[in-house]
C-alpha cells in the first residue's frame, strides 16, 4: 500500500511438509503445518481483501495434490486441503467485490522444500526420475510450471475463472498407479542393485 497505493494480486505460496501419519504426528508438528501452510494464507488474505474490494483483484493459493491423494504427510495434506476449502469459500464470499480466488494444486515436482529433506546422491536422483515418470508426460516439473499457472490465474485472461483448484501435475490425477507401473518399473532402483564385489588385487 505504501509503495503502490493498492494491492491487485496476492499469491499465497509457502509450504512446510514432514512425513507422518495421524498416529505418529506430534501435536506440535500438526500445529506448525497449519500455521505455515494455512494460517499464513488466512492472515495475508484477511488484510488484502479489504484493500482489493475497492476495485477488485486476484488471489492465488498454492496448494498440493497431497490434499487429494494420500502420501503419508497427514498434517501437510490436511492443511493444503484446508487451503483448497478456503479458496472456494473466499471465491463465494468475495466474488461480488470483484475478487477472484483460485488455487494451484501442484504435483510431484522437485522444489527447494523437497531438496531440503533429500540428501544428494543416487537415491535422490532415483526419486527425481520417479516423480517425472509417474506423470502422463514423463517429464520433470519445476516451480516455473506452477508459477506460470499462478500467473495465468492472476491475469486478466482468467477474468471469468474463480473458485477452482487447477492441477499442475502432468496428469497424475487422471490415471491409476497400475496404468503407470510399466514406466515406473523401468526405472532402476539404486537400492535394489547390490554393491559390486571387489575383485582380486593384482
Amino acid at each position: 500500500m505504501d509503495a503502490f497505493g493498492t494491492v491487485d494480486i496476492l499469491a499465497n505460496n509457502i509450504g512446510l511438509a514432514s512425513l507422518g501419519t495421524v498416529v505418529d504426528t506430534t501435536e506440535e508438528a500438526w500445529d506448525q503445518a497449519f500455521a505455515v501452510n494455512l494460517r499464513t494464507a488466512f492472515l495475508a488474505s484477511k488484510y488484502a481483501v479489504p484493500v482489493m474490494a475497492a476495485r477488485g483483484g486476484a488471489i492465488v493459493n498454492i496448494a498440493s495434490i497431497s490434499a487429494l491423494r494420500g502420501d503419508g504427510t497427514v498434517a501437510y495434506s490436511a492443511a493444503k486441503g484446508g487451503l483448497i476449502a478456503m479458496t472456494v469459500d473466499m471465491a463465494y464470499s468475495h466474488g461480488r467485490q470483484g475478487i477472484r480466488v483460485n488455487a494451484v494444486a501442484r504435483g510431484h515436482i522437485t522444489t527447494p522444500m523437497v531438496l531440503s529433506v533429500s540428501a544428494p546422491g543416487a537415491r535422490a536422483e532415483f526419486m527425481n526420475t520417479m516423480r517425472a515418470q509417474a506423470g502422463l508426460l514423463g517429464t520433470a516439473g519445476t516451480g516455473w510450471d506452477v508459477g506460470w499457472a499462478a500467473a495465468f490465474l492472476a491475469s486478466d485472461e482468467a477474468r471469468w475463472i474463480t473458485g477452482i483448484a487447477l492441477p499442475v501435475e502432468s496428469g497424475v490425477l487422471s490415471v491409476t498407479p497400475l496404468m503407470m507401473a510399466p514406466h515406473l518399473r523401468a526405472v532402476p532402483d539404486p537400492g535394489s542393485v547390490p554393491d559390486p564385489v571387489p575383485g582380486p588385487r593384482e
Side-chain angles (χ1 to χ4, degrees), residues 8 157-158 162 170 192:
D8 298 303
E157 284 76 12
T162 193
S170 186
S192 65

Side-chain angles (χ1 to χ4, degrees), residues 171-190:
V172 298
L173 297 179
S174 303
V175 69
T176 68
L178 181 62
M179 301 306 293
M180 301 308 294
H183 300 285
L184 300 177
R185 290 195 188 106
V187 181
D189 184 346

